[in-house]
Amino acid sequence: TPELNTARTCALDYFAAQASLPQVYGWESSNALEVGTVRWVRSIAQDLAFPADIGNVAQYIRDVDHLLIKNYPEFRCFRDVCFYFKLFLNPQLEAFPSKAPYSQRQAQLTFYFYQQHFYVGGYATGGAPQLLSAKPRVRRGEVTPLHRFSS
């Protein structure tokens, strides 16, 4: 119907317009603290009169008790949803945690920041969380998989 075609076109136009905006949380390409995310978090911090140096920017993203997440808990939800969206697009099945009946507490994501890179853990079973990555991990000489399932 014409209405559905118009709605589809509007949705495609919307997503095409987003391509020119700076990207935040580029977990699928790198775990490093990228420029777009730093600028975005700094602008939030400056608007709220929070410290906006690079050390605090990493803490705002990582630490659930730091100023930004403490005052705006939806920021943590947004960060986690962004990571999950990118994780689910990872074509490597090995990137996902093993199947098990996880509790909500076990599945909770934990962000670590070390040497300018974020490390994300979750799905802890009996202690340490599993390391999760939205970026495909390939060994030297391997080709990065493009599709999760053969077509």
Side-chain angles (χ1 to χ4, degrees):
T1 66
E3 294 84 10
L4 286 177
N5 286 334
T6 302
R8 286 185 191 111
T9 303
C10 288
L12 290 174
D13 288 345
Y14 172 80
F15 287 116
Q18 304 308 307
S20 64
L21 297 175
Q23 182 181 5
V24 296
Y25 294 137
W27 307 113
E28 75 282 4
S29 57
S30 172
N31 284 349
L33 184 57
E34 73 272 346
V35 174
T37 302
V38 170
R39 285 184 184 151
W40 176 61
V41 174
R42 274 189 175 157
S43 69
I44 294 169
Q46 289 169 346
D47 284 347
L48 300 170
F50 293 165
D53 59 286
I54 194 69
N56 277 303
V57 166
Q59 288 291 92
Y60 294 146
I61 296 169
R62 182 196 76 76
D63 191 357
V64 296
D65 292 324
H66 211 56
L67 289 170
L68 199 57
I69 294 177
K70 186 82 167 168
N71 289 290
Y72 300 97
E74 63 274 11
F75 184 84
R76 179 182 186 184
C77 298
F78 180 69
R79 176 201 67 187
D80 291 358
V81 166
C82 288
F83 181 81
Y84 272 126
F85 279 168
K86 306 292 177 107
L87 176 68
F88 294 147
L89 291 174
N90 188 338
Q92 281 184 322
L93 292 177
E94 299 84 28
F96 295 93
S98 57
K99 290 184 181 180
Y102 296 106
S103 69
Q104 182 179 357
R105 188 176 304 268
Q106 290 171 323
Q108 179 176 312
L109 294 180
T110 307
F111 286 74
Y112 307 95
F113 189 70
Y114 180 70
Q115 294 184 349
Q116 301 301 316
H117 285 80
F118 285 101
Y119 297 92
V120 183
Y123 299 93
T125 52
Q130 298 179 40
L131 192 60
L132 303 173
S133 177
K135 180 181 176 183
R137 295 185 191 140
V138 293
R139 293 183 185 90
R140 186 173 289 154
E142 284 185 355
V143 177
T144 303
L146 300 175
H147 303 288
R148 188 173 299 156
F149 305 106
S150 57
S151 35

